[in-house]
């Protein structure tokens, strides 16, 4: 049972665990897929270096891999801020939400 502003609500243990679940667990399959793509990019980097390919090709692969890692980092940081720093269960006020949005925007700009 959960106490809410409108009374007591019957909730299963599974629902409670799902509410408390980390954003990384909720998005586990999506994050694993992204990490596999990143691993593929680094494997491609290793191949072009081993094959002694032109430096512009090497730089292009490094740039793509860096972009993928930065994008994943941005997504994880945003989830961390929204689910752990703000804690949606405590109903953050608009000032807190705006401050979090500003930090997230700065992170996105920095990691581009």
């Amino acid at each position: 049972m959960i106490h809410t502003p409108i009374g007591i609500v019957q909730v299963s243990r599974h629902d409670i665990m799902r509410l408390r679940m980390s954003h990384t667990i909720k998005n586990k399959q999506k994050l694993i897929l992204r990490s596999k793509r990143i691993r593929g990019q680094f494997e491609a980097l290793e191949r072009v270096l081993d094959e002694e390919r032109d430096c512009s090709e090497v730089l292009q692969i490094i740039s793509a891999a860096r972009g993928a890692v930065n994008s994943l980092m941005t997504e994880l940081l945003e989830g961390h801020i929204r689910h752990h720093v703000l804690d949606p269960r405590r109903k953050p006020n608009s000032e807190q939400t705006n401050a979090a949005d500003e930090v997230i925007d700065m992170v996105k700009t920095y990691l581009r």
Side-chain angles (χ1 to χ4, degrees):
M1 287 193 248
I2 296 178
H3 296 275
T4 70
I6 59 170
I8 297 175
V9 178
Q10 184 72 28
V11 180
S12 72
R13 184 167 184 236
H14 174 69
D15 288 337
I16 291 171
M17 292 308 292
R18 201 167 38 102
L19 289 171
R20 293 181 180 162
M21 194 180 298
S22 170
H23 58 100
T24 55
I25 296 170
K26 287 180 186 176
N27 299 320
K28 178 181 175 180
Q29 292 307 313
K30 179 182 166 188
L31 295 171
I32 288 172
L33 183 61
R34 287 181 75 173
S35 71
K36 286 180 179 182
R37 284 190 203 122
I38 291 168
R39 180 177 47 200
Q41 289 175 318
F42 282 103
E43 288 169 354
L45 173 61
E46 191 175 335
R47 269 192 312 276
V48 297
L49 288 170
D50 190 47
E51 295 168 3
E52 299 176 0
R53 303 277 270 290
D54 187 60
C55 66
S56 63
E57 229 178 306
V58 174
L59 290 169
Q60 185 176 9
I61 291 172
I62 291 171
S63 177
R66 185 182 71 181
V69 169
N70 285 350
S71 177
L72 180 59
M73 175 77 77
T74 299
E75 181 178 338
L76 290 172
L77 283 169
E78 180 174 358
H80 180 76
I81 291 167
R82 293 200 189 283
H83 296 281
H84 301 294
V85 175
L86 281 182
D87 191 2
R89 293 174 294 173
R90 293 197 176 148
K91 305 284 188 220
N93 63 39
S94 62
E95 187 177 327
Q96 292 168 322
T97 303
N98 289 339
D101 288 340
E102 285 179 20
V103 170
I104 290 166
D105 287 343
M106 283 188 283
V107 167
K108 286 179 178 180
T109 300
Y110 179 75
L111 290 176
R112 264 192 206 139

